Amino acid sequence: MQAESGKAPDGASEPVEGLAEATTPFRQQAAGEPVHDQPAPIVAIGASAGGLEAIEQFFASITAPSRFAFVIIQHLSPDLKSLMVELLARHTQLGVLAVEDGMTPLANAIHLIPPGKTMTIEAGLLRLADCRERDVMHHLIDEFFVSLASDRGAAAIGIVLSGSGSDGCRGARAISRAGGRVLVQLPVTA
């Protein structure tokens, strides 16, 4: 797979087809900057409930081990049991985990938001809260992306996959303003 820009996020195995960069260049690690003391870089992926195919295609191109912690924010029905862990595990060599409140994102793993929850990242920890009735039209992707921009600044990476509505737009702008990198799925591949 190959990205339209011809470049992969720093450290990724190869570019992913159907994605285009939507922001400014990503801040590169400075020479001599310690790597071992830094948390795993987070790649946040936002998708609608129908985004499973795009998610599977993305992870089919990512090889393990990966130095990235992937976090998927997907619109899921709170009334149905999610099978995303099992479904995604069939298409990747990475570990696949359902997020628990207070979890530290791990490199070489995919972290999935549970149904009926909102998620943010604060001080490097994934934080969950129950969706309230007023959150039916809640922008889960925006909420996570904005918190990621605040928590990681120029190290934030956000990917917006297929879906409807505007969820992800505000968060993508926040990541861009923080100096991070945003990729979006090209409409012709959605």
Side-chain angles (χ1 to χ4, degrees), residues 46-52 54 160-164 185 189-190:
S48 69
L52 178 59
V160 180
L161 297 179
S162 66
S164 59
Q185 185 173 4
T189 67

Side-chain angles (χ1 to χ4, degrees), residues 29-159:
Q29 181 173 322
E33 188 176 344
V35 175
H36 60 280
D37 293 335
Q38 296 178 351
I42 295 175
V43 177
I45 302 169
S48 69
L52 178 59
E53 183 179 355
I55 292 169
E56 288 173 345
Q57 289 175 351
F58 177 83
F59 283 107
S61 70
I62 304 294
T63 57
S66 172
R67 69 184 190 94
F68 292 100
F70 297 92
V71 178
I72 297 178
I73 308 92
Q74 188 177 25
H75 296 184
L76 300 169
S77 171
D79 302 324
L80 300 175
K81 180 184 179 327
S82 175
L83 299 174
M84 275 297 290
V85 171
E86 296 83 1
L87 292 171
L88 197 50
R90 296 179 190 165
H91 296 275
T92 183
Q93 301 169 359
L94 303 172
V96 183
L97 311 165
V99 171
E100 295 178 10
D101 188 46
M103 177 183 277
T104 299
L106 304 172
N108 201 43
I110 302 166
H111 306 75
L112 301 170
I113 187 172
K117 301 287 184 180
T118 63
M119 183 168 56
T120 57
I121 183 164
E122 300 169 14
L125 301 176
L126 297 173
R127 308 306 291 184
L128 296 175
D130 290 330
C131 285
R132 295 172 301 276
E133 190 172 320
R134 69 175 180 80
D135 293 330
V136 171
M137 296 304 290
H138 194 71
H139 285 207
L140 303 174
I141 300 166
D142 281 332
E143 184 172 353
F144 188 80
F145 280 17
V146 168
S147 72
L148 181 65
S150 176
D151 192 72
R152 296 295 169 98
I157 303 169
I159 299 175

Side-chain angles (χ1 to χ4, degrees), residues 5 7-10 21-29 153-157 175-183:
S5 65
K7 295 184 180 181
D10 185 34
E21 190 157 347
T23 188
T24 57
F26 188 57
R27 181 186 80 78
Q28 299 297 317
Q29 181 173 322
I157 303 169
I175 290 173
S176 181
R177 281 193 302 271
R181 177 171 279 176
V182 177
L183 302 173

